[in-house]
Amino acid sequence: MQISDLPYPDPGVPDARSGPRFLLWLGRGQLGGQLKSLCWGILHFSGIAGLPYAVGLGVDAVVERDANRLLLVGALLLLIGVAISVGDAMLHRTAVTNWITAAARVQQLLARKTAELGSALTRRVAAGEVVAVSTGDVEKIGWFVEAASRFLAAVFAVVLVCVGLLFYAPELGVVVAIGVPLIALAALPLLPRATKRADIQREKAGKATELASDTVAGLRVLRGIGGEELFLGRYREASQEVRKAAVRSARMWALISAIQVLLPGALLITVVWYGATLVVDGRIAVGELVAVFSAVATLLYPLRHFEEIAMAYSFSRPSAKRAARVLSLTRTDAAEAAGEGGTGAGAGAVEAPAAGGDLYDPQTGLLAPAGRFTAVVCGDPDLAGRLAERLGGHPMDDEGKDDAAGDGPSVLLGGIALDELALDTARTLVLVQDKDPVLLSGTLRELFDVPASGAVDSGAALTAAQCADVLDALLQSAPDGVDDPMDARITERGRSLSGGQRQRLALARSLVTDPEVLVLDEPTSAVDSHTEARIADGVATLRTGRTTVVLASSPLLLDRADRVVLIDGGTVAAVGTHRELLHREPLYRAVVTRETDEEQQRPLARLELTELEEALTEIEESA
């Protein structure tokens, strides 16, 4: 794989059982690139290893005044220089290629997993951790993959030098052969402590990143309540914790680096002292001492790669662990059993249901008849959110284990389990819009450039979602020369818009897709009652003949639904129209009208339902 060939047509199915297994899987996927890098590294380090011997031969030729031999040594030095230069250039090229391709593979895997899990991802993994994995952790994983081949080439060079010295100058070769392994292994006892400190640093950095993400995302709200300084103070404290942890980690790595300098220096001094004694005794020639001295000096370069691989593994192991944790998440237990990519059992072996099928949840007993507008009332907002995820065919695995909105039998569409469909097919049929939808930066036209049936254009969707004032606001904030609001730009996550404006634009985007089943979780929680009434009418009209499920507790939405379902204790408690349930179900009345316990005990005649109905009628007329 070359950089020009990225992205991968298929990044593969990772071994996400643990961090080391994930690193091993990445390495196996790049055997070709690793072998190329290893070969060039061997050429490079062999040239470095051979340099001292050539220098020693040159010194002997000068001492013996042998001109022909000196010319041969010069030619050998030239050849070694070419090998070092070419090997270094190609080693760098292939190693960096390994780094980039490994990082790209991990990013593709993370992107695929994000698309698979959707909004459930950030509910199961902290947002800061997701950001850390997709940015810093990817680079650290790539660093280890890149350093592995250079480390193996360095090991080859060290072994080559030690073995060569044993034959070239046995007395000094024994000293070097004993000292080099001690130098290479001296830092091992310190690595666990250094790794632990590095883990603490990354953990604190992840928390600081998460706090920063949450602060930026909620900046508008924080400014409204005057909480900017409070959160900035918390971020400053978190940043100082990260700094202190980084200093403690750096001290340990500085100690390891000092050992890697001190011990080779001690070995060099020992070789010079002992070698000088051997020269004085006439047991070795001056050229041999120079060659051995040069060999030990050049060993400092490959030995640095021992420290680098230790650092790379120490930093990449927890990063790979976090990446493996994200990649091991599955849409459902059925998807996990299905294997590759979690795309559903059979990966398309089950055909999509015919249009017009009912949506049924066997866990709660909720039935949304085909082509009808069904409203669902839950007293618990968290339960409503999990139920919306479940209706979309991707419930959380680690939440709601004992809850009806958690794990359980798959939701059925037209009698076919959504979990048995390919993920793309399931999401084409059922679209879920949660209560906090995200708007990506770009123009409004790009926002509506989503997979759709083509039956609903953006104009009709914007009208149904009551976005006229949003279009005016975007046009006013657009630069000169932009006359069409569809060409106006939306800032990141739509932060330049109010919560109600973002909510309506997201609703319009969902309406444009025109799915077979549209599930909306509190789609009008941030708008006023008059706008809410008009949105309810617009959605009901635009979705005529399509299955629509709205999880809400607003009387204005409930009154326009064809069918209202009350969920209590995780199962269906009552079914009817809004007005029917309002009269005969005290629990429904309490949830919708926000009654207190004392008010629930009052007789029905004293609940002033007539006044409530008159108020609803007035709102309808004003709309």
Side-chain angles (χ1 to χ4, degrees):
M1 172 64 69
Q2 299 295 323
I3 296 177
S4 58
D5 298 328
L6 294 175
Y8 285 92
D10 179 10
V13 181
D15 185 349
R17 289 176 289 177
S18 65
R21 286 179 181 273
F22 181 59
L23 290 174
L24 182 61
W25 177 83
L26 279 177
R28 288 202 306 266
Q30 289 188 324
L31 284 179
Q34 293 289 345
L35 288 175
K36 288 181 182 179
S37 184
L38 177 61
C39 291
W40 289 116
I42 289 176
L43 176 63
H44 173 62
F45 286 110
S46 296
I48 294 176
L51 192 61
Y53 301 105
V55 172
L57 292 175
V59 171
D60 287 340
V62 171
V63 171
E64 297 174 6
R65 299 179 180 275
D66 189 340
N68 293 330
R69 187 177 174 188
L70 187 61
L71 288 176
L72 292 176
V73 170
L76 179 61
L77 286 173
L78 178 61
L79 181 62
I80 291 176
V82 172
I84 293 175
S85 300
V86 174
D88 187 28
M90 296 306 298
L91 172 61
H92 179 74
R93 178 185 178 88
T94 53
V96 170
T97 299
N98 291 336
W99 183 347
I100 294 176
T101 51
R105 186 191 293 269
V106 177
Q107 286 180 327
Q108 281 187 252
L109 291 170
L110 291 171
R112 186 175 69 183
K113 182 59 65 174
T114 301
E116 176 188 333
L117 296 178
S119 61
L121 175 62
T122 52
R123 296 186 183 181
R124 301 165 68 180
V125 181
E129 184 171 348
V130 176
V131 174
V133 170
S134 59
T135 53
D137 285 340
V138 168
E139 293 186 2
K140 292 181 178 67
I141 292 171
W143 177 27
F144 175 75
V145 173
E146 176 257 348
S149 56
R150 289 192 286 112
F151 165 71
L152 293 176
V155 171
F156 175 83
V158 170
V159 172
L160 182 65
V161 169
C162 292
V163 172
L165 288 179
L166 287 175
F167 287 96
Y168 183 74
E171 296 90 343
L172 292 177
V174 171
V175 176
V176 175
I178 295 175
V180 168
L182 293 177
I183 294 173
L185 301 176
L188 286 182
L190 299 177
L191 286 180
R193 184 175 299 180
T195 302
K196 183 178 179 180
R197 292 188 179 185
D199 290 345
I200 294 174
Q201 175 194 349
R202 281 187 290 275
E203 180 182 354
K204 291 183 179 296
K207 291 181 179 179
T209 302
E210 182 179 357
L211 179 59
S213 300
D214 293 342
T215 302
V216 173
L219 192 58
R220 177 185 289 271
V221 177
L222 292 176
R223 286 175 175 171
I225 63 176
E228 306 104 308
E229 290 301 324
L230 175 62
F231 273 79
L232 286 175
R234 292 180 181 177
Y235 182 72
R236 291 191 189 99
E237 293 177 2
S239 298
Q240 289 303 311
E241 291 293 327
V242 174
R243 182 188 63 80
K244 293 177 182 178
V247 170
R248 294 185 72 248
S249 178
R251 286 174 179 168
M252 184 56 63
W253 287 113
L255 177 59
I256 293 175
S257 298
I259 292 175
Q260 294 295 318
V261 173
L262 177 63
L263 294 183
L267 176 63
L268 196 61
I269 292 173
T270 302
V271 167
V272 171
W273 172 78
Y274 184 53
T277 303
L278 294 177
V279 171
V280 171
D281 294 342
R283 297 166 61 183
I284 63 173
V286 175
E288 292 177 327
L289 175 60
V290 173
V292 174
F293 173 82
S294 301
V296 175
T298 55
L299 277 179
L300 299 181
Y301 173 61
L303 282 175
R304 286 207 301 266
H305 291 80
F306 285 70
E307 177 191 355
E308 181 190 13
I309 196 65
M311 292 182 65
Y313 181 73
S314 298
F315 279 90
S316 65
R317 184 183 58 80
S319 295
K321 181 180 178 181
R322 281 197 294 268
R325 180 183 172 223
V326 174
L327 294 175
S328 64
L329 298 175
T330 55
R331 186 163 64 106
T332 61
D333 290 337
E336 183 178 9
E340 298 187 5
T343 55
V350 177
E351 295 183 0
D358 296 340
L359 182 69
Y360 176 66
D361 179 15
Q363 185 77 0
T364 61
L366 172 63
L367 173 66
R372 304 286 297 279
F373 184 174
T374 301
V376 181
V377 177
C378 297
D380 183 2
D382 292 334
L383 174 62
R386 294 197 297 272
L387 179 58
E389 292 286 344
R390 177 172 174 74
L391 293 177
H394 39 87
M396 284 81 76
D397 292 333
D398 55 350
E399 291 190 43
K401 289 286 185 183
D402 300 323
D403 196 303
D407 280 347
S410 174
V411 172
L412 306 177
L413 179 61
I416 297 178
L418 288 179
D419 290 344
E420 295 180 359
L421 299 173
L423 180 59
D424 292 342
T425 302
R427 290 200 172 157
T428 300
L429 293 172
V430 183
L431 174 65
V432 178
Q433 176 182 304
D434 62 20
K435 64 183 64 178
D436 187 23
V438 175
L439 301 181
L440 300 178
S441 60
T443 65
L444 192 58
R445 196 183 307 280
E446 292 171 343
L447 178 69
F448 288 101
D449 185 17
V450 293
S453 66
V456 179
D457 59 34
S458 58
L462 289 167
T463 300
Q466 300 298 309
C467 294
D469 63 314
V470 184
L471 298 181
D472 293 338
L474 288 174
L475 200 56
Q476 290 176 3
S477 61
D480 295 338
V482 177
D483 300 325
D484 188 348
M486 297 299 292
D487 295 326
R489 294 194 64 81
I490 301 173
T491 57
E492 182 185 3
R493 299 180 68 90
R495 293 194 178 98
S496 61
L497 303 173
S498 67
Q501 290 174 329
R502 290 196 301 270
Q503 198 172 56
R504 282 177 282 163
L505 281 179
L507 175 59
R509 178 181 57 187
S510 298
L511 293 174
V512 164
T513 61
D514 189 39
E516 182 70 25
V517 179
L518 177 60
V519 180
L520 304 172
D521 184 10
E522 294 288 355
T524 57
S525 59
V527 301
D528 61 85
S529 58
H530 293 283
T531 304
E532 186 177 31
R534 291 194 290 268
I535 290 175
D537 286 334
V539 171
T541 302
L542 196 62
R543 293 287 299 172
T544 300
R546 290 291 205 181
T547 306
T548 306
V549 181
V550 177
L551 292 97
S553 59
S554 168
L556 295 171
L557 279 173
L558 299 174
D559 193 48
R560 278 138 177 97
D562 300 324
R563 192 168 184 267
V564 180
V565 180
L566 173 64
I567 302 290
D568 181 35
T571 58
V572 173
V575 180
T577 66
H578 168 61
R579 295 175 187 266
E580 290 173 353
L581 295 178
L582 200 61
H583 281 85
R584 63 181 169 86
E585 292 292 338
L587 178 59
Y588 178 83
R589 199 163 49 241
V591 174
V592 173
T593 62
R594 277 75 168 178
E595 288 180 347
T596 63
D597 293 338
E598 179 181 351
E599 291 172 332
Q600 291 184 48
Q601 304 302 320
R602 295 166 59 188
L604 181 61
R606 298 179 59 189
L607 288 176
E608 300 177 344
L609 290 178
T610 304
E611 295 181 6
L612 178 60
E613 292 175 358
E614 291 177 355
L616 291 173
T617 304
E618 290 179 3
I619 293 175
E620 292 175 0
E621 293 175 351
S622 64

